[in-house]
Structure formats: C-alpha cells, structure tokens
C-alpha cells in the first residue's frame, strides 16, 4: 500500500488476501479507516485503481488511462460514492517498541585499548510513538527515543564528481506525510532534506533522536506540516583518529503550509530552523524561509497538460562577521528560479531558469553547488509506430544546459544531452542510445581519486552510453549499460549491470556491478562497486532481507541482514545483523585481509494500540 500522498515508500497498516479459483484469481485488500485521514462527513471520494499484468506488459487503469493522464495525477481519478457510517474511532494510536542490541567496535590498537575504551556494549531502549487525529484530516504525532534499527543500509555508490551525493530517505517517521514538505516539486533548491536530522554527514553516524513531534494533514484548502525534533549528544569511536569523538545534540524546527486554489494549483511557504550548540563566535541558529508557486492545467490547447513552477529561498547568514547590505545580502544568501513544463505524449518540453547565490547554504537543506545562473531546455518526442506491432514506442529528446558563474558571467558549464534512439518493445524489453557533450571550466583543483588531481582549466569532451533493460516479468532480468568517451582531459569507460533472478515465487536474488576505468595523463585508476542482495518471503507475514556491498574506493565491505515477522499488521518483530569490514589486502579477490570495523545485532518489537 503506497500511502502518505505521493510517496510510495510509506507503509501504513493494511491487510490483503489472494486466492486462486477455478475461474481465475481474486484479491481482497482491507485498509482500516483509522489508517487514513479523511472527512467522515463526505459521501464521495476521489479514487483510482491500476492492475499490472507483467506477462503481457500491460497496465489497466480504472480512470486516467489516456497517455496524458496516468495513475499518479489525482485530477484524473474516478469517484467512489455512497459512503456512510465511516469512523476513525477517537483517533488515538500508541505504538510502544523495545530494542535490545549488541555492538562491537574494536579499538584497533593496543594503545587505544589501554585508554579504557569498551569495545563491546549492549545498548537497549524503549520507544513510544503516539498519533492523534486532531481533526478527521489533521494528525499529530509524538515520538520519544525514536529508533530506526530496522532501516535498510544505503546503496553503495562511487563518487567521481566534486559534488556530494544525495541518498533517499528510508526512515518511517520522515516518510509519512513527506509529500507535504516537498518544496517546488521538480526543482533543485532543496531547502529541507530530512536526512540532516539524526544522521551526521561527516562521520555517517546515527545520532539519537530524543523526541520528535509532527503535525501533517489538511485544514480546508490548506495543507499543513510541522516538525519539532531534538537530538542528543552521541559519542563514538573514530577509527581514523584512534580516539573517541562526540557529535553534539541539536534542535530542529520545520514548518510548511500550502494553499490549494483552482483545480490543480497551489502556493506555499516553508520555514526551517537548526539550533546548534554555541560556537566561539556565539552563533547558534540557522534559519531558512522560502515561497513556492505551482500553476497547473489539464486543458491547455485542448486536453494537454501544462505546469508552471516558481520559487525563492533565503537562508540566514552563517558568518556573523559578514557585513552585507540588504540587497547584496539577500542575493548572496538566496536561490530563485522558475520552470515551465509541457508533460504530454507524444510531445514533451521543459524550460527552466535558476540562480543560486554565492552563500546559499540552508542549514537543513541539500545543495551541491552555489554561485551560478543556469538555464535548461529540453524537447522530447515519443512516437508510436502503427505499422510495427512489436514496438510500443520510440523516444527521442535533446537537452541543453548552460551554467554561468554568478559574479563574472563566465560560462562554467555547457552540457548537451541527446537521446539518439530509445526503443520500448511490446515485450517490455528496451534499449537507449545517448550522446553527451560537456564543456566545463574548473575553477579549483580537486582529486577525482587518491593522487589523481584535475587541474584548473577548461575541458571539453563527448561521451556515449548504451542502456539495456529486460521486461520485469522475466525470471532472469537485466538492467544496465555501458558508457565510453572523454572524461576531463582523458577517457573513461563505465559499465554497470544488475541481474535479478526469481527462481520461485517469494525468492529474489540480485547481483549489481559497477566498473569505472579512467585513464588520464596524470594517472589512471579503476573503481568498482559490488552488491549482492536477496529477498525471501516464505509467507506474507515473514520476510528476510540481505545485502552485501563492497567498493574499492573506501575498501569497505558491508553486510545488512534483517528478518521481519508481522505478527499481525502493526505488530512486528525485527531481528537485524550488521557487519562492516575494512579490506587490508591488495584487492577483494586477491589475498583479502578483512578487518572488522564494527558489528552488531538488534532485536526490535513493536505493538500498535488503536482506540
């Protein structure tokens, strides 16, 4: 069940049963009214259904089946009428949980051990989540000693850029209702990135959340969202430094309001505050405020979709010694932009404009770079050949991105991406052939790999990519491709592939491999990522998840294993084991010497009471 608005990752309490019969099969899904926020006085709901038939590569929608519509556009949903007698009870839900763990982090050296460091600990805690429906469509939540022991590990990636990587949110507390906090959907300003809370970006450590409060839902035409969260101090053993380190606790505030108007449009505001421990300069808080506008129509020039979005975001000055004028300060500390989209079939188009100030850096946001002005244009065409029965459609597109330095006006990057030919077959298989041209000015040196610097200067190169994919219905599936061509002042060949194997129902095995082979005048290197994962569901109530990952940049091997037993929906037992090794050999397959960095196990139980 994909609840929480447009976020499919959130999972509420629901039940399903299926059966095979002489005349076919049937499925029955029961979603308790207490799982949903709604107005019980309404006798009509907007609703939609989709059935996916994998063996035929077919999707059947109750409503919104035209090419310019689809399941995820609510304005095209159908109506469910005749509703009456619905009740959410008193709207109170309590979820106590307990977790008992074992942690072992070897100190590594005898001198570190002599300091009295305890390598083995047995942390345990009690947590409580309370949800209460303030109104039929507005829910408040309180979480004490919030625990995420059951959350899966992030997928390992090799970063060959000078910009940080963005990982998706996986924690349930932040997934439920997360669509309300989305800002300027389709934009890249990201003034709020929930992984800044409870996770330390520098060390990768999980920071304990002492309490979290959340309010999400609707009041009339308004959508509301609010967080107030506090984290505690966290002390851990830093393997690199060979000593203990401490991350200090913080307080976080996020407030979001969005007003719907017309049929599909909205206007919203966002505010965030991050309160840090006092520094030597006395500065403690970081503030961010933003406005966004979305105008949408499904009847542009007949029955076409058209979207317009605009935003502006400002963050407070993080350097208390800076002396700025109001105008200059706002420009340096803000981001703004707009985009126009024509998301239709067979023609689609997009144009956008962005400006990010030199010091735009929201304390709770995610920013890859600042100090630039960027334009982006894209045109796509997806014809469906009527005379070729085994081809569903072609895809062709062209995208041009120009990025200038904000102060000097220098063209720092120009990227042209061409989808030369993409083919989707009726079988569900397909391939894409792409070509990209990059013209980039690098204003500061960085190391793309240890001991391999990329010098200041302008670089221009072409690269090409071929992607292949098989139909999801196949017992053995493949998704991957190969790219080749220029890379800065040299060449790179990159290959990635994922093979999925489903030998029997309920069992899924996957192997993922990525290889980067880079040759530059100043040095050559290879970078690999390996991943092996498996899923086993012996019944609808028990599941096993396993993931083993390795990359030869960090030389870290990571294992994540989890068993989940659903005693009944809302009542779960989790058993989790994690293990991290450092490869100290010449390579993973060449005399590996794996040294344990950390390992641990947790048992978590939670029970849901509804009133």
């Amino acid at each position: 069940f994909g609840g929480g608005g447009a976020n499919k990752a959130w999972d509420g309490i629901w039940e399903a049963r299926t059966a095979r019969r002489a005349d076919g099969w049937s499925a029955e899904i029961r979603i308790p009214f207490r799982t949903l926020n709604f107005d019980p006085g309404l006798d009509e709901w907007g609703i939609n259904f989709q059935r996916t038939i994998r063996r035929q590569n077919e999707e059947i929608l109750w409503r919104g089946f035209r090419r310019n519509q689809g399941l995820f556009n609510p304005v095209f949903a159908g109506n469910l009428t005749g509703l009456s007698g619905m009740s959410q009870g008193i709207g109170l839900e309590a979820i106590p949980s307990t977790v008992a763990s074992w942690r072992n982090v070897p100190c590594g050296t005898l001198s570190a051990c002599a300091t009295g460091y305890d390598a083995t600990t047995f942390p345990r805690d009690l947590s409580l989540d309370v949800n209460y429906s303030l109104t039929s469509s507005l829910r408040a939540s309180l979480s004490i000693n919030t625990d995420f022991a059951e959350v899966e590990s992030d997928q390992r990636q090799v970063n060959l850029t000078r910009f940080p990587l963005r990982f998706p949110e996986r924690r349930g507390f932040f997934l439920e209702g997360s669509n309300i906090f989305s800002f300027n959907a389709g934009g890249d300003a990201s003034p709020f990135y929930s992984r800044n809370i409870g996770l330390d970006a520098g060390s990768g450590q999980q920071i304990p959340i002492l309490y979290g409060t959340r309010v999400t839902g609707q009041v009339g035409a308004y959508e509301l969202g609010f967080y107030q969260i506090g984290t505690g101090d966290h002390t851990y053993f830093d393997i690199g430094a060979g000593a203990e380190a401490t991350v200090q606790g913080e307080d976080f505030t996020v407030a979001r309001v969005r007003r719907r108007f017309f049929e599909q449009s909205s206007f919203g505001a966002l505010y965030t505050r991050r309160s840090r421990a006092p520094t030597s300069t006395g500065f403690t808080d970081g503030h961010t405020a933003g406005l966004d506008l979305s105008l949408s129509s499904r009847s542009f020039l007949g029955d076409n979709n058209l979207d317009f979005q605009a935003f502006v975001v400002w963050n407070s000055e993080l350097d208390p010694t800076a002396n700025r004028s109001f105008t200059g300060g706002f420009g340096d500390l803000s981001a703004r932009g707009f985009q126009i989209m024509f998301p239709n079939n067979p023609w689609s188009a997009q144009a956008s404009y962005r400006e990010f100030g030199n010091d735009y850096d929201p304390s709770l946001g995610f920013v890859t770079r600042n100090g630039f002005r960027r334009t982006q244009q894209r045109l796509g065409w997806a014809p469906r050949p009527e005379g070729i029965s085994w081809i569903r459609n072609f895809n062709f597109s062209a995208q041009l991105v120009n990025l200038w330095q904000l102060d000097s006006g220098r063209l720092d990057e120009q990227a042209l991406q061409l989808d030369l030919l993409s083919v989707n077959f009726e079988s569900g298989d397909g391939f894409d052939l792409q070509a990209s041209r990059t013209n980039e000015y690098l204003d500061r040196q960085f190391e793309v790999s240890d001991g391999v610097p990329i010098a200041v200067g302008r670089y221009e190169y072409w690269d090409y990519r071929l992607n292949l994919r098989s139909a999801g219905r196949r017992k053995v599936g493949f998704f991957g491709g190969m790219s080749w061509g220029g890379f800065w002042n040299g060449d790179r060949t990159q290959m990635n592939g994922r093979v999925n194997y489903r030998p029997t129902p309920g069992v899924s095995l996957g192997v993922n491999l990525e290889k980067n082979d880079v040759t530059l005048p100043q040095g050559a290197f290879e970078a690999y990522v390996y991943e092996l994962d498996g899923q086993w569901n012996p019944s609808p109530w028990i599941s096993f998840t396993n993931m083993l990952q390795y990359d030869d940049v960090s030389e870290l091997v990571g294992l994540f294993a989890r068993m989940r037993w659903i005693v009944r929906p809302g009542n779960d037992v989790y058993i989790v084991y994690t293990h991290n090794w450092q490869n100290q050999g010449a390579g993973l397959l060449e005399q590996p010497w794996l040294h344990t960095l950390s390992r641990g196990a947790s048992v978590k139980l939670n029970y849901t009471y509804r009133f």
Side-chain angles (χ1 to χ4, degrees):
F1 176 66
N7 194 315
K8 295 169 62 179
W10 179 72
D11 192 7
I13 294 178
W14 60 289
E15 294 185 69
R17 294 289 190 276
T18 60
R20 293 184 177 180
R21 307 174 357 156
D23 59 346
W25 63 272
S26 68
E28 182 177 340
I29 299 173
R30 186 179 73 173
I31 306 172
F33 286 126
R34 295 178 182 180
T35 298
L36 307 174
N37 284 345
F38 63 92
D39 183 355
L42 296 177
D43 60 359
E44 181 176 316
W45 284 6
I47 197 168
N48 210 347
F49 307 93
Q50 176 177 306
R51 177 187 174 191
T52 301
I53 307 175
R54 289 294 185 192
R55 70 181 186 278
Q56 298 177 199
N57 191 32
E58 183 177 349
E59 294 180 349
I60 302 172
L61 276 78
W62 182 48
R63 289 293 306 273
F65 47 81
R66 298 183 62 185
R67 296 174 187 172
N68 289 347
Q69 298 174 354
L71 180 68
F72 298 106
N73 201 338
V75 72
F76 298 109
N79 294 324
L80 176 64
T81 61
L83 300 172
S84 63
M86 300 177 295
S87 173
Q88 296 171 308
I90 66 173
L92 180 62
E93 180 181 78
I95 310 173
S97 61
T98 179
V99 59
S101 305
W102 163 73
R103 295 283 182 268
N104 179 257
V105 184
C107 50
T109 64
L110 292 177
S111 59
C113 292
T115 63
Y117 168 72
D118 187 1
T120 302
T121 58
F122 299 91
R124 52 197 179 275
D125 211 341
L126 296 174
S127 301
L128 177 63
D129 293 337
V130 178
N131 302 312
Y132 179 67
S133 296
L134 301 174
T135 69
S136 58
S137 56
L138 186 66
R139 179 172 296 183
S141 303
L142 169 65
S143 181
I144 301 174
N145 288 338
T146 313
D147 179 77
F148 305 110
E150 75 280 9
V151 176
E152 294 182 26
S153 301
D154 288 318
Q155 189 171 26
R156 197 75 59 87
Q157 300 181 49
V158 169
N159 188 3
L160 300 182
T161 74
R162 61 192 189 278
F163 305 117
L165 296 175
R166 178 167 182 156
F167 292 90
E169 180 60 80
R170 298 177 180 270
R171 298 168 295 174
F173 181 81
F174 296 101
L175 289 175
E176 184 174 354
S178 59
N179 62 300
I180 296 177
F181 295 92
S182 63
F183 184 85
N184 184 40
D188 49 12
S190 295
F192 173 56
Y193 179 47
S194 59
R195 285 177 62 106
N196 284 313
I197 303 174
L199 294 171
D200 183 59
S203 63
Q205 291 287 312
Q206 295 187 25
I207 310 303
I209 295 180
L210 302 180
Y211 71 92
T213 61
R214 179 187 66 218
V215 177
T216 55
Q218 298 180 0
V219 177
Y222 293 89
E223 293 181 85
L224 304 177
F226 177 80
Y227 285 126
Q228 180 62 48
I229 300 172
T231 60
D233 295 345
H234 176 61
T235 300
Y236 66 98
F237 186 77
D238 189 334
I239 299 294
E244 290 187 346
T246 299
V247 178
Q248 294 183 331
E250 299 177 286
D251 290 315
F252 304 89
T253 305
V254 183
R256 173 69 160 149
V257 60
R258 185 162 52 207
R259 171 65 158 85
R260 302 188 309 273
F261 62 94
F262 298 145
E263 188 181 42
Q264 298 174 257
S265 303
S266 65
F267 177 76
L270 175 73
Y271 168 77
T272 74
R273 170 182 173 267
R274 184 172 191 169
S275 180
R276 300 183 176 94
T279 64
S280 59
T281 59
F283 177 76
T284 57
D285 295 350
H287 302 271
T288 303
L291 301 173
D292 62 339
L293 171 68
S294 176
L295 300 173
S296 300
S297 172
R298 59 169 172 167
S299 56
F300 178 72
L301 297 179
D303 60 353
N304 294 298
N305 299 306
L306 185 68
D307 298 326
F308 172 82
Q309 297 173 347
F311 74 93
V312 59
V313 186
W314 166 89
N315 58 258
S316 61
E317 176 61 73
L318 300 180
D319 180 6
T321 64
N323 184 17
R324 306 176 190 267
S325 66
F326 175 79
T327 304
F330 182 84
D332 288 340
L333 296 169
S334 66
R336 50 271 176 194
F338 66 88
Q339 67 175 349
I340 301 175
M341 295 178 293
F342 184 76
N344 295 282
N345 193 304
W347 289 98
S348 62
Q350 177 182 348
S352 67
Y353 178 84
R354 298 279 187 270
E355 280 190 6
F356 280 49
N358 294 320
D359 297 301
Y360 174 67
D361 186 17
S363 58
L364 267 177
F366 182 87
V367 179
T368 56
R369 66 192 299 174
N370 51 20
F372 67 87
R373 178 184 297 112
R374 190 190 74 189
T375 61
Q376 177 179 349
Q377 304 87 35
R378 182 186 179 278
L379 179 65
W381 181 45
R384 294 177 177 249
E386 297 182 359
I388 309 177
S389 61
W390 45 277
I391 292 182
R392 172 160 294 190
N393 72 300
F394 297 103
N395 279 287
F396 306 93
S397 69
Q399 176 176 278
L400 178 64
V401 177
N402 288 290
L403 187 148
W404 296 270
Q405 187 185 62
L406 199 58
D407 290 338
S408 67
R410 179 186 63 221
L411 181 64
D412 275 358
E413 182 179 345
Q414 184 180 75
L416 174 66
Q417 179 175 319
L418 302 173
D419 288 337
L420 301 176
L421 176 63
S422 294
V423 180
N424 294 311
F425 299 102
E426 286 292 345
S427 63
D429 308 307
F431 71 87
D432 311 303
L433 179 61
Q434 301 172 336
S436 300
R437 173 187 173 273
T438 301
N439 183 326
E440 185 166 0
Y441 181 82
L442 187 63
D443 59 358
R444 65 186 66 182
Q445 179 176 295
F446 82 102
E447 284 194 350
V448 68
S449 183
D450 288 342
V452 183
I454 305 296
V456 173
R458 184 167 293 279
Y459 300 85
E460 183 176 349
Y461 52 89
W462 280 87
D463 66 277
Y464 307 89
R465 180 162 189 86
L466 175 65
N467 294 318
L468 303 174
R469 57 188 176 276
S470 64
R473 60 183 171 84
R474 302 190 186 280
K475 180 174 289 189
V476 178
F478 174 79
F479 310 87
M482 176 180 180
S483 66
W484 64 95
F487 184 71
W488 298 107
N489 58 331
D491 298 289
R492 177 178 71 165
T493 300
Q494 191 261 352
M495 293 181 290
N496 71 287
R498 178 175 179 83
V499 178
N500 292 329
Y501 176 49
R502 294 179 294 182
T504 61
V507 176
S508 176
L509 302 174
V511 177
N512 192 33
L513 171 66
E514 179 182 338
K515 175 187 177 182
N516 290 273
D517 188 351
V518 179
T519 302
L520 303 169
Q522 61 271 34
F525 65 92
E526 293 181 346
Y528 291 84
V529 176
Y530 305 89
E531 180 185 327
L532 176 65
D533 60 70
Q535 299 275 347
W536 179 36
N537 299 278
S539 78
W541 312 107
I542 297 178
S543 63
F544 295 86
T545 301
N546 300 277
M547 180 185 296
L548 182 66
Q549 300 183 90
Y550 172 75
D551 72 88
D552 65 353
V553 175
S554 67
E555 297 285 348
L556 294 178
V557 181
L559 170 67
F560 174 87
R562 181 186 66 195
M563 185 205 79
R564 180 185 183 185
W565 174 28
I566 304 175
V567 180
R568 59 177 299 177
N571 307 331
D572 306 279
V573 177
Y574 296 94
I575 300 177
V576 180
Y577 179 77
T578 60
H579 202 133
N580 294 291
W581 298 269
Q582 177 78 55
N583 180 30
Q584 298 179 344
L588 184 64
L589 303 179
E590 301 175 7
Q591 296 182 342
W593 299 95
L594 298 181
H595 172 70
T596 294
L597 296 180
S598 64
R599 54 190 169 180
S602 299
V603 178
K604 181 178 180 179
L605 301 85
N606 63 264
Y607 194 93
T608 301
Y609 297 90
R610 284 182 162 177
F611 306 94

